[in-house]
């Protein structure tokens, strides 16, 4: 249950009420909001005279549900935004990982040429093998910060575990929580206490309900700027790396009030399918795309088979324009 308390209640009283019914207490635009789990269906008697409005739910998808807030949350991204009443589809691109000054600089030049605003590159890579490149760590973050200054790009990068959460939050403009750490409560809490937008990637073995519950985790800590990212789930199919769950995206669009971006790169796992998938995603009417690009994909230290070179990305981007236009979306 979500309860909006009457306007004149003090912080101390709101917290007392929250404690008395075992609820979380959030303050949003001078409004105290109490949140219990969804099994509470009756407004407690003690709050009857002090409640402006309340909502009951069938699941713990509460703050992120359209039943609570019907409109998609607006999320500012530099001088533009997604969600809200706009028709923007943000393009986020960049290499899987920051590998060197030269590589990240070439990536930035490529993005600037294409008019892309957000550079996404990992510095702390969650790898499946301990014997592969794990990222440049803080040196990578410093390079990203330099690139932001030099090229005027916004930076998105992954926060992989709590040991470097503060550093990533300090350096980045947009925090990414990756598929392998979707459930990490330390990361969800750190992101929830920050004031920066968060891209939350869906774990590849998780249900939509589990995914949106993690979004609620972040929101229940105070940060409402959550962007959901579908990046492919594991199915019985092994010819592609994962399976992009477009049915899931349709479900999220219907029931969830958060912007949704899609990452066909990690879903497909191979460069050849990504442009087709990006066009299909765009035709669905989504809030953004995340595409892995690399100046020389064959030399990439992680995810080499799926990264697009400058030419491939440029062709993909151009091919999205008429599709976006046909459904009334602007690529930003
Ligand atoms: C990535 O974005 O480079 C990444 C590791 O993706 P995911 O968390 O979706 O596997
Ligand atoms: Mn990657």
């Amino acid at each position: 249950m979500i309860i909006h308390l009457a306007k004149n209640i003090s912080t101390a009283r709101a917290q007392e009420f929250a404690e008395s019914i075992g609820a979380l207490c959030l303050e949003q635009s001078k409004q105290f909001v109490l949140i219990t789990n969804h099994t509470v269906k009756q407004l407690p008697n003690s709050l009857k005279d002090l409640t402006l409005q309340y909502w009951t739910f069938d699941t713990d998808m509460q703050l992120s549900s359209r039943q609570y807030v019907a409109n998609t949350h607006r999320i500012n991204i530099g001088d533009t935004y997604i969600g809200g009443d706009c028709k923007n589809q943000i393009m986020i691109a960049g290499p899987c990982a920051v590998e060197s000054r030269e590589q990240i600089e070439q990536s930035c030049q490529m993005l600037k040429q294409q008019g892309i605003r957000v550079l996404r590159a990992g510095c702390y890579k969650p790898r499946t093998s301990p014997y592969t490149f794990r990222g440049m760590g803080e040196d990578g973050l410093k390079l990203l910060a330099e690139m932001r200054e030099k090229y005027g790009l916004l930076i998105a990068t992954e926060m992989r575990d709590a040991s470097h959460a503060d550093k990533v939050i300090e350096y980045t403009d947009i925090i990414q929580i990756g598929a392998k750490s979707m459930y990490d409560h330390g990361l969800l809490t750190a992101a929830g206490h920050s004031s920066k937008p968060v891209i939350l990637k869906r774990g590849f073995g998780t249900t939509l309900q589990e995914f949106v519950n993690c979004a609620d985790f972040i929101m229940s800590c105070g940060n409402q700027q959550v962007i959901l990212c579908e990046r492919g789930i594991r199915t019985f199919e092994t010819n592609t790396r994962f399976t992009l769950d477009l049915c899931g995206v349709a479900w999220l669009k219907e029931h969830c009030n958060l912007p949704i971006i899609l990452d066909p790169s990690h879903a497909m796992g191979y460069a050849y399918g990504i442009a087709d998938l990006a066009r299909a995603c765009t035709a669905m009417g989504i809030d953004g795309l995340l595409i892995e690009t690399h100046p020389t994909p064959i030399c990439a230290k992680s995810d080499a088979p799926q990264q697009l070179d400058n030419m491939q990305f440029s062709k993909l981007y151009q091919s999205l324009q008429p599709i976006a236009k046909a459904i009334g979306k602007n690529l930003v």
Side-chain angles (χ1 to χ4, degrees):
M1 175 181 287
I2 296 182
I3 301 164
H4 282 193
L5 292 179
K7 294 279 182 195
N8 52 358
I9 288 175
S10 68
T11 309
R13 278 197 86 201
Q15 277 163 356
E16 242 172 64
F17 286 133
E19 226 167 275
S20 72
I21 61 165
L24 288 175
C25 180
L26 266 187
E27 189 181 352
Q28 283 183 328
S29 348
K30 304 215 165 112
Q31 168 74 65
F32 285 106
V33 180
L34 306 190
I35 316 163
T36 70
N37 70 55
H38 76 277
T39 61
V40 179
K41 307 287 185 196
Q42 296 269 342
L43 187 66
N45 278 335
S46 56
L47 292 183
K48 281 208 164 113
D49 296 335
L50 301 159
T51 295
L52 279 180
Q53 199 177 351
Y54 70 98
W55 294 257
T56 58
F57 301 88
D58 292 335
T59 71
D60 277 342
M61 172 186 176
Q62 301 190 85
L63 291 169
S64 63
S65 86
R66 289 212 190 274
Q67 199 187 326
Y68 173 49
V69 173
N71 293 334
T72 305
H73 280 275
R74 171 183 164 141
I75 298 184
N76 293 331
I77 299 185
D79 60 356
T80 188
Y81 66 99
I82 55 173
D85 56 2
C86 80
K87 292 276 183 189
N88 290 338
Q89 174 179 318
I90 188 98
M91 294 295 295
I92 302 174
C96 183
V98 182
E99 298 170 1
S100 67
R101 175 184 293 279
E102 194 191 6
Q103 173 253 15
I104 201 66
E105 187 122 32
Q106 284 173 358
S107 301
C108 290
Q109 286 159 0
M110 177 168 124
L111 298 195
K112 282 306 271 189
Q113 248 177 39
Q114 310 282 340
I116 303 296
R117 285 180 166 81
V118 187
L119 164 72
R120 194 220 61 130
C123 300
Y124 299 91
K125 297 305 300 175
R127 304 309 304 275
T128 40
S129 161
Y131 310 117
T132 51
F133 178 62
R134 299 191 205 181
M136 289 182 71
E138 193 174 357
D139 289 343
L141 291 177
K142 287 182 179 155
L143 278 177
L144 287 178
E146 251 186 65
M147 296 302 122
R148 168 176 42 219
E149 290 309 308
K150 185 161 175 187
Y151 293 95
L153 290 160
L154 292 171
I155 302 299
T157 197
E158 177 167 353
M159 181 162 89
R160 190 200 53 215
D161 62 57
S163 68
H164 53 252
D166 291 347
K167 276 207 167 61
V168 169
I169 292 171
E170 176 194 331
Y171 281 98
T172 200
D173 299 302
I174 302 172
I175 301 161
Q176 176 177 315
I177 297 182
K180 295 185 187 77
S181 27
M182 183 200 85
Y183 274 128
D184 187 318
H185 289 183
L187 294 183
L188 298 174
T189 307
H193 287 136
S194 118
S195 56
K196 297 190 170 168
V198 184
I199 295 175
L200 178 66
K201 294 186 112 182
R202 179 181 181 187
F204 50 75
T206 64
T207 65
L208 294 165
Q209 186 65 51
E210 290 162 340
F211 185 28
V212 290
N213 278 3
C214 288
D216 257 66
F217 249 106
I218 299 172
M219 298 170 88
S220 68
C221 293
N223 188 355
Q224 309 304 300
Q225 302 176 86
V226 181
I227 303 165
L228 300 177
C229 178
E230 162 59 31
R231 47 76 74 208
I233 53 172
R234 176 143 289 154
T235 64
F236 49 79
E237 186 52 68
T238 55
N239 283 310
T240 55
R241 191 176 182 192
F242 293 97
T243 298
L244 195 61
D245 183 11
L246 298 187
C247 292
V249 172
W251 185 89
L252 291 168
K253 281 178 65 178
E254 181 72 12
H255 298 287
C256 184
N257 63 27
L258 298 171
I260 303 159
I261 66 172
L262 279 94
D263 168 0
S265 300
H266 288 87
M268 184 69 206
Y270 301 100
Y272 71 84
I274 291 164
D276 282 344
L277 287 168
R279 286 187 284 271
C281 295
T282 300
M284 279 189 84
I286 54 167
D287 301 288
L289 275 176
L290 194 163
I291 308 282
E292 280 196 345
T293 58
H294 194 287
T296 38
I298 199 168
C299 302
K301 292 188 178 176
S302 58
D303 288 348
Q306 72 195 29
Q307 303 204 55
L308 304 186
D309 65 22
N310 200 2
M311 189 70 97
Q312 290 167 318
F313 180 69
S314 161
K315 259 177 84 180
L316 175 157
Y317 190 28
Q318 281 166 30
S319 77
L320 298 181
Q321 296 284 5
I323 300 171
K325 194 164 168 224
I327 61 158
K329 283 267 186 182
N330 315 306
L331 297 183
V332 296

